[in-house]
mmCIF file with all atom_site columns, all heavy atoms in Angstrom:
data_model
loop_
_atom_site.group_PDB
_atom_site.id
_atom_site.type_symbol
_atom_site.label_atom_id
_atom_site.label_alt_id
_atom_site.label_comp_id
_atom_site.label_asym_id
_atom_site.label_entity_id
_atom_site.label_seq_id
_atom_site.pdbx_PDB_ins_code
_atom_site.Cartn_x
_atom_site.Cartn_y
_atom_site.Cartn_z
_atom_site.occupancy
_atom_site.B_iso_or_equiv
_atom_site.pdbx_formal_charge
_atom_site.auth_seq_id
_atom_site.auth_comp_id
_atom_site.auth_asym_id
_atom_site.auth_atom_id
_atom_site.pdbx_PDB_model_num
ATOM 1   N N   . ASN E 1 16 ? -3.056  10.207 -7.133  1.00 98.00 ? 111 ASN E N   1
ATOM 2   C CA  . ASN E 1 16 ? -3.677  8.971  -6.647  1.00 98.00 ? 111 ASN E CA  1
ATOM 3   C C   . ASN E 1 16 ? -3.196  7.822  -7.520  1.00 98.00 ? 111 ASN E C   1
ATOM 4   O O   . ASN E 1 16 ? -3.304  7.891  -8.750  1.00 98.00 ? 111 ASN E O   1
ATOM 5   C CB  . ASN E 1 16 ? -5.206  9.078  -6.711  1.00 98.00 ? 111 ASN E CB  1
ATOM 6   C CG  . ASN E 1 16 ? -5.751  10.071 -5.705  1.00 98.00 ? 111 ASN E CG  1
ATOM 7   O OD1 . ASN E 1 16 ? -5.877  9.769  -4.525  1.00 98.00 ? 111 ASN E OD1 1
ATOM 8   N ND2 . ASN E 1 16 ? -6.047  11.279 -6.170  1.00 98.00 ? 111 ASN E ND2 1
ATOM 9   N N   . HIS E 1 62 ? -7.851  0.858  -10.864 1.00 98.00 ? 157 HIS E N   1
ATOM 10  C CA  . HIS E 1 62 ? -8.435  2.083  -11.442 1.00 98.00 ? 157 HIS E CA  1
ATOM 11  C C   . HIS E 1 62 ? -9.794  2.376  -10.820 1.00 98.00 ? 157 HIS E C   1
ATOM 12  O O   . HIS E 1 62 ? -10.086 3.502  -10.408 1.00 98.00 ? 157 HIS E O   1
ATOM 13  C CB  . HIS E 1 62 ? -8.574  1.945  -12.964 1.00 98.00 ? 157 HIS E CB  1
ATOM 14  C CG  . HIS E 1 62 ? -9.378  3.042  -13.587 1.00 98.00 ? 157 HIS E CG  1
ATOM 15  N ND1 . HIS E 1 62 ? -10.763 3.002  -13.669 1.00 98.00 ? 157 HIS E ND1 1
ATOM 16  C CD2 . HIS E 1 62 ? -9.013  4.222  -14.125 1.00 98.00 ? 157 HIS E CD2 1
ATOM 17  C CE1 . HIS E 1 62 ? -11.204 4.120  -14.227 1.00 98.00 ? 157 HIS E CE1 1
ATOM 18  N NE2 . HIS E 1 62 ? -10.155 4.868  -14.528 1.00 98.00 ? 157 HIS E NE2 1
ATOM 19  N N   . ASP E 1 63 ? -10.638 1.341  -10.737 1.00 98.00 ? 158 ASP E N   1
ATOM 20  C CA  . ASP E 1 63 ? -11.996 1.535  -10.237 1.00 98.00 ? 158 ASP E CA  1
ATOM 21  C C   . ASP E 1 63 ? -12.013 1.803  -8.735  1.00 98.00 ? 158 ASP E C   1
ATOM 22  O O   . ASP E 1 63 ? -12.877 2.545  -8.239  1.00 98.00 ? 158 ASP E O   1
ATOM 23  C CB  . ASP E 1 63 ? -12.862 0.319  -10.576 1.00 98.00 ? 158 ASP E CB  1
ATOM 24  C CG  . ASP E 1 63 ? -13.125 0.214  -12.083 1.00 98.00 ? 158 ASP E CG  1
ATOM 25  O OD1 . ASP E 1 63 ? -12.770 1.156  -12.829 1.00 98.00 ? 158 ASP E OD1 1
ATOM 26  O OD2 . ASP E 1 63 ? -13.663 -0.834 -12.515 1.00 98.00 ? 158 ASP E OD2 1
ATOM 27  N N   . ILE E 1 64 ? -11.072 1.217  -8.002  1.00 98.00 ? 159 ILE E N   1
ATOM 28  C CA  . ILE E 1 64 ? -10.967 1.505  -6.564  1.00 98.00 ? 159 ILE E CA  1
ATOM 29  C C   . ILE E 1 64 ? -10.637 2.984  -6.367  1.00 98.00 ? 159 ILE E C   1
ATOM 30  O O   . ILE E 1 64 ? -11.269 3.680  -5.566  1.00 98.00 ? 159 ILE E O   1
ATOM 31  C CB  . ILE E 1 64 ? -9.894  0.610  -5.898  1.00 98.00 ? 159 ILE E CB  1
ATOM 32  C CG1 . ILE E 1 64 ? -10.379 -0.848 -5.873  1.00 98.00 ? 159 ILE E CG1 1
ATOM 33  C CG2 . ILE E 1 64 ? -9.578  1.102  -4.486  1.00 98.00 ? 159 ILE E CG2 1
ATOM 34  C CD1 . ILE E 1 64 ? -9.311  -1.852 -5.442  1.00 98.00 ? 159 ILE E CD1 1
ATOM 35  N N   . LEU E 1 65 ? -9.647  3.471  -7.122  1.00 98.00 ? 160 LEU E N   1
ATOM 36  C CA  . LEU E 1 65 ? -9.265  4.887  -6.997  1.00 98.00 ? 160 LEU E CA  1
ATOM 37  C C   . LEU E 1 65 ? -10.401 5.803  -7.436  1.00 98.00 ? 160 LEU E C   1
ATOM 38  O O   . LEU E 1 65 ? -10.654 6.833  -6.808  1.00 98.00 ? 160 LEU E O   1
ATOM 39  C CB  . LEU E 1 65 ? -8.003  5.166  -7.820  1.00 98.00 ? 160 LEU E CB  1
ATOM 40  C CG  . LEU E 1 65 ? -6.728  4.494  -7.302  1.00 98.00 ? 160 LEU E CG  1
ATOM 41  C CD1 . LEU E 1 65 ? -5.581  4.736  -8.277  1.00 98.00 ? 160 LEU E CD1 1
ATOM 42  C CD2 . LEU E 1 65 ? -6.361  4.993  -5.910  1.00 98.00 ? 160 LEU E CD2 1
ATOM 43  N N   . LEU E 1 66 ? -11.096 5.425  -8.519  1.00 98.00 ? 161 LEU E N   1
ATOM 44  C CA  . LEU E 1 66 ? -12.231 6.219  -9.002  1.00 98.00 ? 161 LEU E CA  1
ATOM 45  C C   . LEU E 1 66 ? -13.296 6.347  -7.911  1.00 98.00 ? 161 LEU E C   1
ATOM 46  O O   . LEU E 1 66 ? -13.834 7.441  -7.666  1.00 98.00 ? 161 LEU E O   1
ATOM 47  C CB  . LEU E 1 66 ? -12.823 5.556  -10.246 1.00 98.00 ? 161 LEU E CB  1
ATOM 48  C CG  . LEU E 1 66 ? -13.937 6.310  -10.964 1.00 98.00 ? 161 LEU E CG  1
ATOM 49  C CD1 . LEU E 1 66 ? -13.355 7.482  -11.750 1.00 98.00 ? 161 LEU E CD1 1
ATOM 50  C CD2 . LEU E 1 66 ? -14.699 5.370  -11.895 1.00 98.00 ? 161 LEU E CD2 1
ATOM 51  N N   . THR E 1 67 ? -13.561 5.235  -7.239  1.00 98.00 ? 162 THR E N   1
ATOM 52  C CA  . THR E 1 67 ? -14.589 5.225  -6.185  1.00 98.00 ? 162 THR E CA  1
ATOM 53  C C   . THR E 1 67 ? -14.152 6.057  -4.987  1.00 98.00 ? 162 THR E C   1
ATOM 54  O O   . THR E 1 67 ? -14.932 6.847  -4.439  1.00 98.00 ? 162 THR E O   1
ATOM 55  C CB  . THR E 1 67 ? -14.888 3.773  -5.760  1.00 98.00 ? 162 THR E CB  1
ATOM 56  O OG1 . THR E 1 67 ? -15.313 3.044  -6.903  1.00 98.00 ? 162 THR E OG1 1
ATOM 57  C CG2 . THR E 1 67 ? -15.956 3.729  -4.683  1.00 98.00 ? 162 THR E CG2 1
ATOM 58  N N   . LEU E 1 68 ? -12.875 5.904  -4.571  1.00 98.00 ? 163 LEU E N   1
ATOM 59  C CA  . LEU E 1 68 ? -12.381 6.692  -3.435  1.00 98.00 ? 163 LEU E CA  1
ATOM 60  C C   . LEU E 1 68 ? -12.431 8.186  -3.744  1.00 98.00 ? 163 LEU E C   1
ATOM 61  O O   . LEU E 1 68 ? -12.809 8.999  -2.895  1.00 98.00 ? 163 LEU E O   1
ATOM 62  C CB  . LEU E 1 68 ? -10.950 6.275  -3.075  1.00 98.00 ? 163 LEU E CB  1
ATOM 63  C CG  . LEU E 1 68 ? -10.803 4.939  -2.340  1.00 98.00 ? 163 LEU E CG  1
ATOM 64  C CD1 . LEU E 1 68 ? -9.323  4.558  -2.240  1.00 98.00 ? 163 LEU E CD1 1
ATOM 65  C CD2 . LEU E 1 68 ? -11.418 5.015  -0.943  1.00 98.00 ? 163 LEU E CD2 1
ATOM 66  N N   . GLU E 1 69 ? -12.062 8.544  -4.991  1.00 97.00 ? 164 GLU E N   1
ATOM 67  C CA  . GLU E 1 69 ? -12.067 9.964  -5.359  1.00 97.00 ? 164 GLU E CA  1
ATOM 68  C C   . GLU E 1 69 ? -13.488 10.521 -5.399  1.00 97.00 ? 164 GLU E C   1
ATOM 69  O O   . GLU E 1 69 ? -13.710 11.679 -5.056  1.00 97.00 ? 164 GLU E O   1
ATOM 70  C CB  . GLU E 1 69 ? -11.350 10.155 -6.697  1.00 97.00 ? 164 GLU E CB  1
ATOM 71  C CG  . GLU E 1 69 ? -9.836  9.987  -6.559  1.00 97.00 ? 164 GLU E CG  1
ATOM 72  C CD  . GLU E 1 69 ? -9.097  9.972  -7.895  1.00 97.00 ? 164 GLU E CD  1
ATOM 73  O OE1 . GLU E 1 69 ? -9.256  10.924 -8.673  1.00 97.00 ? 164 GLU E OE1 1
ATOM 74  O OE2 . GLU E 1 69 ? -8.368  8.999  -8.147  1.00 97.00 ? 164 GLU E OE2 1
ATOM 75  N N   . ALA E 1 70 ? -14.454 9.687  -5.799  1.00 97.00 ? 165 ALA E N   1
ATOM 76  C CA  . ALA E 1 70 ? -15.849 10.138 -5.822  1.00 97.00 ? 165 ALA E CA  1
ATOM 77  C C   . ALA E 1 70 ? -16.390 10.297 -4.398  1.00 97.00 ? 165 ALA E C   1
ATOM 78  O O   . ALA E 1 70 ? -17.136 11.239 -4.101  1.00 97.00 ? 165 ALA E O   1
ATOM 79  C CB  . ALA E 1 70 ? -16.699 9.137  -6.604  1.00 97.00 ? 165 ALA E CB  1
ATOM 80  N N   . MET E 1 71 ? -16.000 9.384  -3.525  1.00 97.00 ? 166 MET E N   1
ATOM 81  C CA  . MET E 1 71 ? -16.483 9.425  -2.134  1.00 97.00 ? 166 MET E CA  1
ATOM 82  C C   . MET E 1 71 ? -15.834 10.549 -1.340  1.00 97.00 ? 166 MET E C   1
ATOM 83  O O   . MET E 1 71 ? -16.458 11.132 -0.445  1.00 97.00 ? 166 MET E O   1
ATOM 84  C CB  . MET E 1 71 ? -16.148 8.099  -1.429  1.00 97.00 ? 166 MET E CB  1
ATOM 85  C CG  . MET E 1 71 ? -16.959 6.901  -1.862  1.00 97.00 ? 166 MET E CG  1
ATOM 86  S SD  . MET E 1 71 ? -16.240 5.361  -1.193  1.00 97.00 ? 166 MET E SD  1
ATOM 87  C CE  . MET E 1 71 ? -16.140 5.720  0.544   1.00 97.00 ? 166 MET E CE  1
ATOM 88  N N   . ILE E 1 72 ? -14.542 10.807 -1.653  1.00 98.00 ? 167 ILE E N   1
ATOM 89  C CA  . ILE E 1 72 ? -13.738 11.709 -0.823  1.00 98.00 ? 167 ILE E CA  1
ATOM 90  C C   . ILE E 1 72 ? -13.089 12.753 -1.725  1.00 98.00 ? 167 ILE E C   1
ATOM 91  O O   . ILE E 1 72 ? -11.950 12.592 -2.160  1.00 98.00 ? 167 ILE E O   1
ATOM 92  C CB  . ILE E 1 72 ? -12.664 10.912 -0.040  1.00 98.00 ? 167 ILE E CB  1
ATOM 93  C CG1 . ILE E 1 72 ? -13.325 9.744  0.712   1.00 98.00 ? 167 ILE E CG1 1
ATOM 94  C CG2 . ILE E 1 72 ? -11.898 11.814 0.915   1.00 98.00 ? 167 ILE E CG2 1
ATOM 95  C CD1 . ILE E 1 72 ? -12.379 8.628  1.062   1.00 98.00 ? 167 ILE E CD1 1
ATOM 96  N N   . PRO E 1 73 ? -13.780 13.818 -2.034  1.00 97.00 ? 168 PRO E N   1
ATOM 97  C CA  . PRO E 1 73 ? -13.232 14.823 -2.949  1.00 97.00 ? 168 PRO E CA  1
ATOM 98  C C   . PRO E 1 73 ? -12.041 15.573 -2.345  1.00 97.00 ? 168 PRO E C   1
ATOM 99  O O   . PRO E 1 73 ? -11.947 15.720 -1.121  1.00 97.00 ? 168 PRO E O   1
ATOM 100 C CB  . PRO E 1 73 ? -14.406 15.767 -3.186  1.00 97.00 ? 168 PRO E CB  1
ATOM 101 C CG  . PRO E 1 73 ? -15.305 15.571 -2.028  1.00 97.00 ? 168 PRO E CG  1
ATOM 102 C CD  . PRO E 1 73 ? -15.124 14.155 -1.568  1.00 97.00 ? 168 PRO E CD  1
ATOM 103 N N   . GLN E 1 74 ? -11.130 16.014 -3.235  1.00 97.00 ? 169 GLN E N   1
ATOM 104 C CA  . GLN E 1 74 ? -9.957  16.767 -2.754  1.00 97.00 ? 169 GLN E CA  1
ATOM 105 C C   . GLN E 1 74 ? -10.370 18.102 -2.147  1.00 97.00 ? 169 GLN E C   1
ATOM 106 O O   . GLN E 1 74 ? -9.812  18.527 -1.136  1.00 97.00 ? 169 GLN E O   1
ATOM 107 C CB  . GLN E 1 74 ? -8.977  17.001 -3.916  1.00 97.00 ? 169 GLN E CB  1
ATOM 108 C CG  . GLN E 1 74 ? -7.693  17.688 -3.463  1.00 97.00 ? 169 GLN E CG  1
ATOM 109 C CD  . GLN E 1 74 ? -6.684  17.845 -4.594  1.00 97.00 ? 169 GLN E CD  1
ATOM 110 O OE1 . GLN E 1 74 ? -6.943  17.461 -5.731  1.00 97.00 ? 169 GLN E OE1 1
ATOM 111 N NE2 . GLN E 1 74 ? -5.534  18.409 -4.277  1.00 97.00 ? 169 GLN E NE2 1
ATOM 112 N N   . LEU E 1 75 ? -11.332 18.759 -2.779  1.00 95.00 ? 170 LEU E N   1
ATOM 113 C CA  . LEU E 1 75 ? -11.816 20.047 -2.275  1.00 95.00 ? 170 LEU E CA  1
ATOM 114 C C   . LEU E 1 75 ? -13.204 19.846 -1.682  1.00 95.00 ? 170 LEU E C   1
ATOM 115 O O   . LEU E 1 75 ? -14.091 19.294 -2.345  1.00 95.00 ? 170 LEU E O   1
ATOM 116 C CB  . LEU E 1 75 ? -11.868 21.076 -3.406  1.00 95.00 ? 170 LEU E CB  1
ATOM 117 C CG  . LEU E 1 75 ? -10.532 21.355 -4.104  1.00 95.00 ? 170 LEU E CG  1
ATOM 118 C CD1 . LEU E 1 75 ? -10.727 22.266 -5.298  1.00 95.00 ? 170 LEU E CD1 1
ATOM 119 C CD2 . LEU E 1 75 ? -9.522  21.948 -3.121  1.00 95.00 ? 170 LEU E CD2 1
ATOM 120 N N   . ARG E 1 76 ? -13.364 20.267 -0.457  1.00 95.00 ? 171 ARG E N   1
ATOM 121 C CA  . ARG E 1 76 ? -14.653 20.074 0.205   1.00 95.00 ? 171 ARG E CA  1
ATOM 122 C C   . ARG E 1 76 ? -14.840 21.183 1.226   1.00 95.00 ? 171 ARG E C   1
ATOM 123 O O   . ARG E 1 76 ? -13.940 21.458 2.032   1.00 95.00 ? 171 ARG E O   1
ATOM 124 C CB  . ARG E 1 76 ? -14.666 18.719 0.898   1.00 95.00 ? 171 ARG E CB  1
ATOM 125 C CG  . ARG E 1 76 ? -15.951 18.423 1.602   1.00 95.00 ? 171 ARG E CG  1
ATOM 126 C CD  . ARG E 1 76 ? -15.904 17.033 2.210   1.00 95.00 ? 171 ARG E CD  1
ATOM 127 N NE  . ARG E 1 76 ? -17.210 16.633 2.664   1.00 95.00 ? 171 ARG E NE  1
ATOM 128 C CZ  . ARG E 1 76 ? -17.539 15.393 2.971   1.00 95.00 ? 171 ARG E CZ  1
ATOM 129 N NH1 . ARG E 1 76 ? -16.648 14.433 2.850   1.00 95.00 ? 171 ARG E NH1 1
ATOM 130 N NH2 . ARG E 1 76 ? -18.744 15.115 3.393   1.00 95.00 ? 171 ARG E NH2 1
ATOM 131 N N   . TYR E 1 79 ? -13.371 21.344 5.248   1.00 98.00 ? 174 TYR E N   1
ATOM 132 C CA  . TYR E 1 79 ? -12.042 20.839 5.610   1.00 98.00 ? 174 TYR E CA  1
ATOM 133 C C   . TYR E 1 79 ? -11.291 21.937 6.353   1.00 98.00 ? 174 TYR E C   1
ATOM 134 O O   . TYR E 1 79 ? -11.324 23.106 5.948   1.00 98.00 ? 174 TYR E O   1
ATOM 135 C CB  . TYR E 1 79 ? -11.224 20.487 4.353   1.00 98.00 ? 174 TYR E CB  1
ATOM 136 C CG  . TYR E 1 79 ? -11.543 19.169 3.666   1.00 98.00 ? 174 TYR E CG  1
ATOM 137 C CD1 . TYR E 1 79 ? -11.268 19.015 2.308   1.00 98.00 ? 174 TYR E CD1 1
ATOM 138 C CD2 . TYR E 1 79 ? -12.058 18.073 4.342   1.00 98.00 ? 174 TYR E CD2 1
ATOM 139 C CE1 . TYR E 1 79 ? -11.510 17.822 1.637   1.00 98.00 ? 174 TYR E CE1 1
ATOM 140 C CE2 . TYR E 1 79 ? -12.306 16.875 3.676   1.00 98.00 ? 174 TYR E CE2 1
ATOM 141 C CZ  . TYR E 1 79 ? -12.035 16.749 2.341   1.00 98.00 ? 174 TYR E CZ  1
ATOM 142 O OH  . TYR E 1 79 ? -12.269 15.579 1.686   1.00 98.00 ? 174 TYR E OH  1
ATOM 143 N N   . ASP E 1 87 ? -8.238  15.074 1.918   1.00 98.00 ? 182 ASP E N   1
ATOM 144 C CA  . ASP E 1 87 ? -8.776  13.859 1.269   1.00 98.00 ? 182 ASP E CA  1
ATOM 145 C C   . ASP E 1 87 ? -7.780  12.705 1.377   1.00 98.00 ? 182 ASP E C   1
ATOM 146 O O   . ASP E 1 87 ? -8.165  11.553 1.619   1.00 98.00 ? 182 ASP E O   1
ATOM 147 C CB  . ASP E 1 87 ? -9.116  14.145 -0.191  1.00 98.00 ? 182 ASP E CB  1
ATOM 148 C CG  . ASP E 1 87 ? -7.901  14.550 -1.016  1.00 98.00 ? 182 ASP E CG  1
ATOM 149 O OD1 . ASP E 1 87 ? -7.068  15.343 -0.517  1.00 98.00 ? 182 ASP E OD1 1
ATOM 150 O OD2 . ASP E 1 87 ? -7.778  14.066 -2.156  1.00 98.00 ? 182 ASP E OD2 1
ATOM 151 N N   . LYS E 1 91 ? -8.426  9.059  3.055   1.00 98.00 ? 186 LYS E N   1
ATOM 152 C CA  . LYS E 1 91 ? -8.250  7.820  2.286   1.00 98.00 ? 186 LYS E CA  1
ATOM 153 C C   . LYS E 1 91 ? -7.251  6.889  2.975   1.00 98.00 ? 186 LYS E C   1
ATOM 154 O O   . LYS E 1 91 ? -7.452  5.670  3.028   1.00 98.00 ? 186 LYS E O   1
ATOM 155 C CB  . LYS E 1 91 ? -7.765  8.135  0.869   1.00 98.00 ? 186 LYS E CB  1
ATOM 156 C CG  . LYS E 1 91 ? -8.825  8.781  -0.007  1.00 98.00 ? 186 LYS E CG  1
ATOM 157 C CD  . LYS E 1 91 ? -8.207  9.235  -1.320  1.00 98.00 ? 186 LYS E CD  1
ATOM 158 C CE  . LYS E 1 91 ? -9.139  10.135 -2.095  1.00 98.00 ? 186 LYS E CE  1
ATOM 159 N NZ  . LYS E 1 91 ? -8.449  10.780 -3.230  1.00 98.00 ? 186 LYS E NZ  1
#
Side-chain angles (χ1 to χ4, degrees):
N111 291 281
H157 170 275
D158 291 352
I159 291 171
L160 292 174
L161 185 75
T162 302
L163 285 171
E164 287 172 55
M166 288 169 53
I167 308 158
Q169 184 177 1
L170 301 174
R171 180 177 191 165
Y174 282 155
D182 62 318
K186 289 172 192 169

